[in-house]
Amino acid sequence: MSAPKAPAKPAILSVDDDPGVSRAVVRDLRKRYGEKYRIIRAESGDQALETLREMKLRGDAVAVIVADYRMPGLSGIEFLEQAMDLYPVARRVLLTAYADTDAAIDAINVVDLDHYLLKPWDPPEEKLYPVIDALLDAWASSSHHPAEETKVIGHRWSERSSDVREFLARNQLAYRWYMSDEPEGQRLLSAAGTDELRLPVVIAPNGDVLVEPTDAELADKLGLSTTLSEDFYDLVVIGGGPAGLGAALYGASEGLRTVLIERRATGGQAGQSSRIENYLGFPDGVSGAQLADRARRQATKFGAEVITARDVTGLEINGSARTVRFDDGSSVDAHSVILATGVSYRQLSAPGLDTYTGRGVYYGSAVTEAARCSEQDVYIVGGANSAGQAAVYLSRGARSVTILIRGNSLEASMSYYLIQQIEKNPKITVRTCTEVVGAEGDDHLERITLRNRATGEEDTVDAQWLFIFIGAAPLTDWLGDVVVRDGNGFVLAGPDLPSEGVTPDGWPLDRAPHHLETSVPGVFVAGDVHAESAKRVASAVGEGAMAVMFVHRYLAQQ
C-alpha cells in the first residue's frame, strides 16, 4: 500500500504583468521562503484567479498574495477584491510605483489591504522580507481555523445568531454562514440531526455539532484559550481592549507573569472599528480587528496568557493577594490587578427598539453586518468617532447612510478628519437635532419614527438597519464596593480619589496612591473605564503601559 500523499506546502502568489518585475519578485521570494512555501507566479489577474480557483478545489493553502497595481484587464485592486472571496485569510500586498501611492491607500479601504510596497524594493532584506515575515506570522496564527470547515446555521433575524457571528469574527475565527430557511442550511441541519427550533447551530471543524452554544462553548471547541495555566500571577489584566492589551504586552515583556482575561474578544470597542486613521504609526489607517490581532500576537510573543470567554464576577482582597473570581465559581490570585474593562454602548430607550435588537437594531456591529446591508438604506445613531467610522465603512455597499444626532453638528464629538470624509461622501446624510422615538416591524425592524427636537415634528421612515453608537457605560457593576467609583460607575484613581473616606477603613498605606492606583493598593485602572479618560485608542494604550510602571513600583514597595 502506497504512503499517503503529503499535503502541498502553502503558497505565496505573485501577480505582475511585467515579466522582468515578475521574475525579480519571484526570485527574491524563492530565495527567502522557497524551502517552506511554494512560490507561484502569474502574469495577469485573470490567470492568477484561475490558479487560485484550481488551488481552492485541491484544498491548497495560500498564505500571501502580492499583486501589482497597474495591470491590463483586472487591476491589482480588482484582482485582490475577487481573490478575497476565494482565500479570505490570505494576506494581501499591493506592489505600487510612487505615483500610485494614493491608489494604494484607497485599496486599504476597498480590500482591507495588509501592506503596500513601493518599487523598487531593493534591498529585499530591508524593504521586502520584514513585511512578508510579519504577514506570514499573521497568516500562520489565523490559518488554523479554516473557513470551509466551520459552519454557522441560523436565522437571518435572530439576535443570538448575530451574536455568534460577531463573536467568531472578532476572535479571528473564520466561518461560513448559512441561513436556516435556505436549501443548504436545511441540508446541514438535517445532517446535524437538529431542526430550526433551536438556532443557531455551529458545526465545528471536527464535525462536532453545537446547538445554541454559549460563547465559552464556542471558544473551547474552536481553539481559544479558556483555562488559566497557573493559580497565581504577578499581574492579572481584566479586559482585552487597547488598554488591557497594552498592559499585558508591557507586563509580560518586563518579566511579570501576566494573564489577560477577556469576556468576549480582544480589541474592545476599538476592535469593532472598520478603520482607525488617527492612531500613531499607521498613516494609512488600520482596522480595529487588525490592530487587536497584532497587539494580541505581540503580547503572547512575550509570554502573556490571553484567556477568552471568561466572565469576571468579583474582586476580593485577601492579605497581600488580589483574588479575581469567575462566574463558574473558580478564581485566580495575583500580586496586582489592572482594571481595563472598558465601556459598552448605552442602550437607546425608545418604544419597540428592545424588541428588534439583533433583528435590525445593532449596537456596534457594523463590520459584522455590513455585507447584509448591500444596496439598502442604513441609519446610524451617534455623533462620535465610532459612528463616523461606521458610516464611512457602510457607505461602500449601502444605498444610503443617514447619521442621526441630537445636537446641532458633529463638531463637538467627532474628529475633524472624519467630518471631512462624511461631508465629501454623497451617500452619507447627517440629520441634526433628531432622535429615534419608535420602531415597528413584524419579525424584524421595518420602520423607525424620528422626531425633530427643535420643532417637535415626527416622521416615519422605512428602515431595516439601525446601528447605535451612543454614550459609554462602564462595565464595573461587578466591582461592588471594593473600589471607589464616581456617580456614573467609572473608576477613580490617584489624584481623583477623595481626600477622605477613600474606603470605610481609609487608605491603608503611608504613601499616597500612585497615579493610576485605585482605592485598593495594588489594583490599578487603565483606559476608558478610568474616570475622565480621553476615550481614544492611543491614550488607552498609554495608560495600560503606564499602569504596568506603577505595578512595578507597588511590587518593589512590598
Side-chain angles (χ1 to χ4, degrees):
M1 182 176 178
S2 60
K5 183 179 178 182
K9 293 187 290 186
I12 299 175
L13 173 65
S14 172
V15 191
D16 199 307
D17 67 302
D18 184 325
V21 174
S22 180
R23 284 193 294 269
V25 173
V26 168
R27 177 198 65 216
D28 288 341
L29 291 174
R30 188 169 288 128
K31 178 181 176 182
R32 174 91 164 198
Y33 307 105
E35 184 176 340
K36 294 183 178 180
Y37 296 87
R38 286 189 298 154
I39 311 302
I40 299 175
R41 172 185 165 196
E43 294 186 356
S44 72
D46 289 330
Q47 183 187 79
L49 284 175
E50 183 62 30
T51 299
L52 289 176
R53 292 188 187 102
E54 293 175 0
M55 296 176 69
K56 186 75 173 181
L57 290 173
R58 293 196 300 266
D60 295 344
V62 177
V64 175
I65 301 173
V66 182
D68 185 55
Y69 169 63
R70 290 187 179 274
M71 293 190 294
L74 286 176
S75 70
I77 296 175
E78 293 168 333
F79 160 70
L80 288 173
E81 198 167 9
Q82 295 188 44
M84 286 173 65
D85 295 332
L86 295 168
Y87 283 95
V89 180
R91 299 315 191 196
R92 296 171 287 278
V93 180
L94 195 66
L95 197 60
T96 72
Y98 181 79
D100 298 324
T101 301
D102 289 343
I105 294 173
D106 290 340
I108 291 174
N109 295 322
V110 174
V111 297
D112 203 13
L113 195 69
D114 292 290
H115 206 91
Y116 68 87
L117 285 170
L118 292 176
K119 296 186 278 189
W121 58 89
D122 291 327
E125 290 77 11
E126 295 180 11
K127 297 184 178 180
L128 176 65
Y129 296 154
V131 170
I132 302 298
D133 285 348
L135 295 180
L136 289 173
D137 287 344
W139 174 82
S141 71
S142 63
S143 64
H144 302 297
H145 314 290
E148 65 271 20
E149 294 183 7
T150 302
K151 303 176 179 68
V152 181
I153 308 100
H155 193 278
R156 180 185 184 190
W157 302 113
S158 160
E159 181 178 2
R160 183 54 189 159
S161 293
S162 176
D163 286 345
V164 165
R165 294 170 63 214
E166 184 175 354
F167 177 84
L168 296 175
R170 291 184 60 195
N171 280 291
Q172 306 291 309
L173 297 170
Y175 67 92
R176 187 173 295 173
W177 164 254
Y178 300 88
M179 287 195 286
S180 58
D181 57 355
E182 293 185 345
E184 185 62 15
Q186 292 282 335
R187 186 190 70 78
L188 289 169
L189 289 175
S190 177
T194 186
D195 54 37
E196 292 185 60
L197 297 179
R198 299 181 64 196
L199 293 174
V201 171
V202 176
I203 302 176
N206 64 358
D208 287 351
V209 177
L210 304 176
V211 180
E212 297 179 310
T214 64
D215 289 352
E217 289 171 337
L218 287 170
D220 185 61
K221 182 60 65 175
L222 298 178
L224 297 177
S225 296
T226 59
T227 305
L228 287 77
S229 66
E230 300 184 34
D231 297 325
F232 197 97
Y233 293 83
D234 294 319
L235 171 63
V236 172
V237 180
I238 305 175
L245 287 167
L249 166 62
Y250 282 97
S253 67
E254 294 174 12
L256 299 177
R257 290 173 299 163
T258 302
V259 62
L260 183 151
I261 311 294
E262 168 55 46
R263 68 190 183 97
R264 289 219 74 196
T266 53
Q269 280 193 345
Q272 301 177 65
S273 174
S274 56
R275 181 65 49 184
I276 301 169
E277 297 186 64
N278 60 347
Y279 185 60
L280 184 68
F282 292 87
D284 306 319
V286 61
S287 74
Q290 286 176 320
L291 187 62
D293 179 54
R294 293 175 184 180
R296 178 189 55 76
R297 288 189 288 110
Q298 194 173 11
T300 56
K301 182 185 78 171
F302 286 111
E305 286 185 45
V306 177
I307 305 299
T308 308
R310 295 294 299 272
D311 266 323
V312 175
T313 58
L315 176 65
E316 298 176 1
I317 312 306
N318 293 309
S320 61
R322 307 293 177 255
T323 302
V324 175
R325 296 206 171 275
F326 301 104
D327 60 347
D328 62 358
S330 63
S331 64
V332 64
D333 294 324
H335 287 302
S336 60
V337 171
I338 293 178
L339 304 174
T341 51
V343 296
S344 63
Y345 294 112
R346 294 188 186 278
Q347 302 292 297
L348 183 60
S349 177
L353 278 184
D354 288 348
T355 306
Y356 303 109
T357 299
R359 297 189 291 146
V361 176
Y362 302 94
Y363 289 86
S365 302
V367 174
T368 307
E369 301 295 335
R372 299 167 62 198
C373 302
S374 179
E375 295 303 320
Q376 299 190 48
D377 299 318
V378 174
Y379 288 81
I380 293 175
V381 179
N385 280 9
S386 54
Q389 290 160 350
V392 172
Y393 181 75
L394 289 169
S395 70
R396 299 176 200 160
R399 179 168 52 208
S400 70
V401 177
T402 303
I403 301 175
L404 309 173
I405 59 172
R406 294 164 58 89
N408 295 318
S409 74
L410 295 171
E411 294 178 359
S413 54
M414 189 176 293
S415 293
Y416 180 64
Y417 80 92
L418 273 173
I419 295 175
Q420 286 184 305
Q421 291 183 18
I422 288 169
E423 290 176 345
K424 295 176 182 178
N425 193 321
K427 287 189 176 183
I428 302 177
T429 302
V430 180
R431 287 187 58 164
T432 60
C433 301
T434 302
E435 59 186 353
V436 178
V437 294
E440 303 173 354
D442 291 329
D443 65 338
H444 65 279
L445 180 70
E446 295 178 0
R447 294 170 298 279
I448 57 175
T449 300
L450 307 178
R451 175 190 294 154
N452 185 303
R453 301 182 73 233
T455 65
E457 295 180 356
E458 295 185 1
D459 63 308
T460 299
V461 297
D462 292 336
Q464 291 189 338
W465 302 96
L466 180 66
F467 296 91
I468 300 171
F469 302 86
I470 57 169
L475 301 172
T476 58
D477 288 347
W478 61 275
L479 285 168
D481 297 327
V482 177
V483 301
V484 174
R485 297 176 286 157
D486 68 12
N488 294 315
F490 291 92
V491 177
L492 296 171
D496 294 325
L497 287 169
S499 56
E500 296 181 0
V502 171
T503 67
D505 300 323
W507 176 252
L509 303 180
D510 293 335
R511 63 170 177 81
H514 293 303
H515 181 67
L516 294 176
E517 196 166 22
T518 70
S519 58
V520 176
V523 177
F524 301 82
V525 65
D528 288 359
V529 73
H530 182 198
E532 304 298 328
S533 64
K535 306 296 187 290
R536 288 290 186 267
V537 175
S539 60
V541 173
E543 283 199 351
M546 189 186 303
V548 171
M549 178 182 72
F550 291 126
V551 165
H552 279 292
R553 291 186 186 178
Y554 167 78
L555 294 176
Q557 293 165 344
Q558 299 308 297

